[in-house]
Amino acid sequence: MLKDEQKIENWKKKALHGRYPHQLEQDHVDQSASSTWLTKGNIFGETEGFMVAIQDQVIKTRNYSKYILKETIETDKCRLCNQTTENIDHITGGCSVLAHKEYTHRHDNVAKHIHQLLALKYKLLDTHTAYYKYKPRNVLENETAKLYWNRDIITDRTILSNRPDITLTLKDSKTTYLIDIAVPNTHNLKQKHTEKIQKYLPLADEIKQMWHQDIVRIVPIVISSTGVVPKTLSAALKLLEFHKNTYISLQKSIVIDTCSIVRRFLNPSTLTLQTS
Ligand SMILES: [Zn+2]
């Protein structure tokens, strides 16, 4: 195993060749947090290397075969959806065939993690379960808090977006948090955050009146499909009064899930199953 500093150094050197540094240098990106998975994630070396290759876009997609390796191939369209060019961004976050199951699974792993942390924090649960085994209950409630998982909020007025991933109400302070998770590709981080806020504004207004709340906060939890962390994430975790390192386990679960999605995509035997 390489020393941490060496890993980051190699990673930076490699990244110089790709689009990756531009993505990291954007104002809204937390550069230091974005590389934590390499040093503190405790991820297997093989997965680590594979994620670096995904970030550097040196994965043998059809687009890569055709335009970088200059191989003669019939089409560079996606082998699953056949809709658009098959590049790495398409596989990590843009394929309609992967959206239903694979991306949802990755998203839910992050959501489950947050849900369990809240349930434990507000004593709605007393034992911790590994996140991949954790099955959130739709409603958890005690004298101080109420926690919904993926549940429609019934309103008087018809509201289009009425089901945040997680809804937390703290009874004493009359505060409700509408928590919604997104795992977009890196170039969509900023837009996703804004989108989530706008999406739940009408519901926030409605809940404030209907449930007689003093404060309703919309809390988007957004990390990119390759583990890039926007600065908004630490603010979101702080709002929920989580430890500042909470993002590390979220990032780790995304890195592992994205690697698995890309591996399975490139594996022909899995493909036959998915397209048949
Ligand atoms: Zn596709």
Side-chain angles (χ1 to χ4, degrees):
M1 192 84 94
L2 289 169
K3 286 238 168 66
D4 290 352
E5 305 80 50
Q6 186 64 40
K7 275 190 205 169
I8 291 185
E9 208 38 52
N10 288 353
W11 181 61
K12 276 185 184 157
K13 265 191 226 152
K14 276 193 170 181
L16 281 175
H17 303 287
R19 272 193 332 193
Y20 200 56
H22 300 295
Q23 294 185 331
L24 281 188
E25 275 159 19
Q26 293 182 94
D27 258 1
H28 63 276
V29 167
D30 182 336
Q31 282 204 47
S32 132
S34 295
S35 63
T36 306
W37 62 272
L38 261 176
T39 53
K40 297 204 184 78
N42 212 2
I43 291 170
F44 283 122
E46 197 200 339
T47 301
E48 244 181 49
F50 196 58
M51 181 45 84
V52 171
I54 291 172
Q55 289 180 335
D56 285 347
Q57 314 201 344
V58 288
I59 296 290
K60 205 169 177 242
T61 60
R62 285 187 171 173
N63 184 279
Y64 190 83
S65 301
K66 188 166 178 177
Y67 297 103
I68 307 290
L69 304 177
K70 313 273 184 207
E71 285 176 3
T72 319
I73 53 168
E74 234 170 80
T75 172
D76 68 329
K77 288 251 173 80
C78 170
R79 66 194 78 180
L80 284 189
C81 69
N82 203 26
Q83 295 294 308
T84 174
T85 184
E86 182 189 292
N87 56 25
I88 193 64
D89 275 355
H90 180 75
I91 308 172
T92 57
C95 183
S96 56
V97 175
L98 297 175
H100 186 62
K101 207 169 137 213
E102 281 76 6
Y103 301 157
T104 302
H105 177 78
R106 180 176 64 189
H107 163 280
D108 285 356
N109 278 340
V110 177
K112 281 183 200 173
H113 199 98
I114 300 282
H115 185 273
Q116 181 168 219
L117 283 176
L118 290 170
L120 291 167
K121 184 175 172 67
Y122 293 103
K123 305 198 168 23
L124 295 157
L125 282 179
D126 45 24
T127 48
H128 178 268
T129 314
Y131 76 91
Y132 50 89
K133 285 188 204 153
Y134 181 64
K135 289 199 176 71
R137 299 248 305 270
N138 285 98
V139 181
L140 287 170
E141 185 165 7
N142 60 18
E143 315 75 61
T144 57
K146 185 173 72 179
L147 187 62
Y148 287 167
W149 166 261
N150 211 7
R151 194 170 196 262
D152 281 351
I153 302 202
I154 311 297
T155 50
D156 299 334
R157 217 153 46 88
T158 307
I159 286 182
L160 224 51
S161 304
N162 69 340
R163 191 165 64 174
D165 293 320
I166 298 165
T167 307
L168 168 72
T169 299
L170 301 179
K171 298 180 182 177
D172 286 346
S173 61
K174 292 190 176 175
T175 303
T176 291
Y177 299 90
L178 307 178
I179 306 162
D180 215 53
I181 286 88
V183 187
N185 281 331
T186 305
H187 64 271
N188 275 335
L189 277 173
K190 210 171 169 181
Q191 187 200 334
K192 221 12 151 196
H193 185 267
T194 315
E195 210 179 280
K196 292 282 181 199
I197 302 260
Q198 281 165 352
K199 183 174 173 187
Y200 290 108
L201 273 176
L203 181 65
D205 271 350
E206 193 71 11
I207 284 182
K208 201 168 176 191
Q209 293 177 30
M210 210 173 58
W211 292 356
H212 308 291
Q213 297 294 287
D214 287 343
I215 302 167
V216 180
R217 291 198 193 282
I218 302 165
V219 189
I221 303 277
V222 185
I223 311 185
S224 96
S225 58
T226 53
V228 173
V229 176
K231 287 178 182 161
T232 50
L233 183 66
S234 63
L237 296 173
K238 199 170 169 186
L239 211 56
L240 298 176
E241 295 175 16
F242 284 149
H243 188 275
K244 66 178 171 50
N245 284 344
T246 305
Y247 77 92
I248 300 175
S249 38
L250 308 179
Q251 185 183 44
K252 179 181 176 180
S253 109
I254 292 172
V255 165
I256 290 173
D257 284 341
T258 295
C259 282
S260 145
I261 289 170
V262 178
R263 270 201 197 101
R264 278 181 290 137
F265 183 95
L266 296 172
N267 179 341
S269 63
T270 330
L271 272 181
T272 330
L273 284 175
Q274 283 174 336
T275 46
S276 61

